[in-house]
């Protein structure tokens, strides 16, 4: 039962990583850039949800919806102000800008909300389901997190495969120049990608802080890095890969904490990533693409 409990905890944590990784993989798949400020958008969403629920006594669903709205607007604004002017710039310039946006959001949160940790009220509830005579307990947060992750993955798969905007995103991912010649508004498509990714970040922030209820301006930093690791793990640019990578990463982290060391768990996670990339550079579900030069 302890082993099964660890697996369930790993799947719960991995589902949070997967939701965040879906934002990374969407942005990279379409815009071919790494938005390292994504983890800090999670933190902003968590703070908005916290004040909506704890301070203004809004229902949890309304708090999450408000956080999604704010983060969606934030994602569009960041893309327009920070990334759009660098559309033709070298990738290193975009990477440095992303790091700068990350520090800007962290320090803005520090000024607005101070560095004092806040106890986040769960948006799901604190109940548990008990199985096998109470030997195995599964919290409502775990169930909602896993279900939300699967629903989001299926919705994104349908959206990118069936809708007009989703097909435009896939066309931009293949070749932005050709997509523009076919009448697709590339700038609007990339902005929509950032909007979707940032909205997902708000959901991930609410679920993350419901499971681990301490909220600070640096809350999103490490989960953001681990979610990026999960996206690379599964194959960045692949929606099923982000889900698979997130779940696998969560399980590995929980077992590393349980059987190796809580201090070394992060090192184990990144060591596994290095091994995977040495064996399969495109990620577990990624596809190696040959480019003509």
């Amino acid at each position: 039962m302890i082993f099964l409990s660890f697996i369930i905890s790993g799947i719960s944590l991995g589902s949070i990583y997967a939701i965040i990784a879906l934002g990374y993989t969407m942005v990279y798949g379409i815009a071919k850039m790494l938005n390292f400020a994504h983890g800090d958008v999670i933190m902003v969403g968590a703070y908005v949800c916290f004040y909506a629920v704890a301070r203004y006594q809004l229902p949890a669903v309304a708090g999450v919806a408000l956080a999604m709205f704010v983060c969606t607007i934030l994602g569009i604004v960041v893309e327009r102000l920070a990334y759009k002017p660098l559309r033709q710039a070298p990738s290193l310039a975009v990477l440095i800008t992303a790091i700068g946006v990350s520090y800007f959001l962290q320090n803005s949160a520090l000024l607005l909300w101070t560095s004092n940790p806040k106890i986040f009220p769960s948006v799901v509830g604190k109940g548990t389901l008990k199985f096998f005579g109470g030997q195995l307990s599964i919290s409502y947060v775990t169930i909602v997190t896993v279900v939300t992750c699967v629903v989001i993955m299926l919705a994104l798969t349908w959206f990118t495969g069936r809708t007009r905007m989703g097909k435009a995103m896939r066309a931009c991912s293949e070749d932005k120049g050709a997509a523009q010649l076919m009448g697709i508004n590339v700038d609007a498509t990339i902005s929509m990608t950032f909007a979707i990714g940032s909205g997902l970040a708000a959901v991930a922030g609410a679920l993350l802080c419901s499971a681990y209820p301490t909220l600070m301006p640096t809350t999103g930093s490490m989960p953001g890095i681990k979610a990026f690791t999960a996206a690379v793990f599964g194959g960045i640019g692949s929606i099923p890969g982000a889900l698979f990578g997130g779940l696998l990463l969560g399980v590995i982290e929980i077992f590393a904490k349980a059987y190796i060391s809580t201090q070394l768990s992060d090192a184990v996670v990144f060591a596994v990533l290095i091994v995977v990339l040495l064996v399969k550079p495109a990620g577990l579900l990624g596809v190696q693409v040959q480019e003509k030069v």
Side-chain angles (χ1 to χ4, degrees):
M1 287 302 161
I2 294 176
F3 183 82
L4 187 58
S5 177
F6 287 151
I7 291 179
I8 293 170
S9 298
I11 291 174
S12 175
L13 178 62
S15 296
I16 296 172
Y17 289 156
I19 296 172
I20 305 170
L22 285 169
Y24 274 114
T25 209
M26 287 280 291
V27 170
Y28 181 82
I30 283 81
K32 293 295 183 288
M33 62 160 290
L34 298 174
N35 179 23
F36 279 115
H38 193 64
D40 299 290
V41 177
I42 297 167
M43 172 268 299
V44 172
Y47 267 108
V48 172
C49 186
F50 170 80
Y51 278 100
V53 174
R55 179 71 61 84
Y56 298 105
Q57 303 298 315
L58 292 179
V61 174
V64 174
L66 180 61
M68 289 180 67
F69 174 76
V70 171
C71 286
T72 299
I73 299 301
L74 177 62
I76 295 172
V77 170
V78 166
E79 191 277 329
R80 289 294 175 90
L81 295 181
Y83 300 134
K84 185 179 178 182
L86 301 176
R87 198 82 81 213
Q88 305 302 323
S91 56
L92 182 60
V94 180
L95 181 62
I96 293 171
T97 301
I99 295 171
V101 171
S102 173
Y103 281 116
F104 173 79
L105 291 177
Q106 280 189 31
N107 285 278
S108 298
L110 196 63
L111 291 172
L112 285 172
W113 300 308
T114 74
S115 60
N116 297 327
K118 293 174 172 55
I119 304 302
F120 192 91
S122 175
V123 297
V124 177
K126 297 182 180 180
T128 58
L129 295 179
K130 297 186 181 297
F131 301 92
F132 305 107
Q135 296 182 59
L136 179 66
S137 298
I138 304 177
S139 67
Y140 292 163
V141 174
T142 297
I143 297 170
V144 171
T145 300
V146 174
V147 170
T148 302
C149 177
V150 173
V151 168
I152 288 174
M153 193 275 291
L154 293 175
L156 282 179
T157 302
W158 173 83
F159 177 79
T160 55
R162 298 291 182 179
T163 65
R164 185 181 181 89
M165 178 56 73
K167 292 176 181 178
M169 288 178 177
R170 290 163 57 198
C172 291
S173 176
E174 291 291 332
D175 191 322
K176 293 184 182 62
Q180 197 162 17
L181 290 174
M182 295 301 293
I184 294 173
N185 188 332
V186 174
D187 289 337
T189 303
I190 293 176
S191 291
M192 177 60 73
T193 305
F194 270 84
I196 293 173
S198 299
L200 293 180
V203 176
L207 292 174
L208 173 68
C209 290
S210 293
Y212 305 92
T214 301
L215 178 59
M216 296 183 294
T218 56
T219 292
S221 299
M222 186 54 72
I225 293 173
K226 288 181 180 177
F228 170 68
T229 303
V232 175
F233 203 18
I236 194 163
S238 167
I239 291 175
L243 174 66
F244 181 70
L247 294 177
L248 196 56
L249 193 76
V251 171
I252 291 172
E253 181 177 340
I254 292 296
F255 274 98
K257 287 180 178 178
Y259 293 109
I260 300 176
S261 168
T262 54
Q263 287 81 15
L264 295 177
S265 60
D266 292 345
V268 172
V269 166
F270 292 118
V272 171
L273 173 68
I274 292 170
V275 172
V276 169
L277 292 181
L278 286 173
V279 176
K280 200 171 188 300
L284 294 175
L285 298 184
V287 179
Q288 194 75 34
V289 178
Q290 299 292 333
E291 293 186 5
K292 293 182 180 180
V293 295

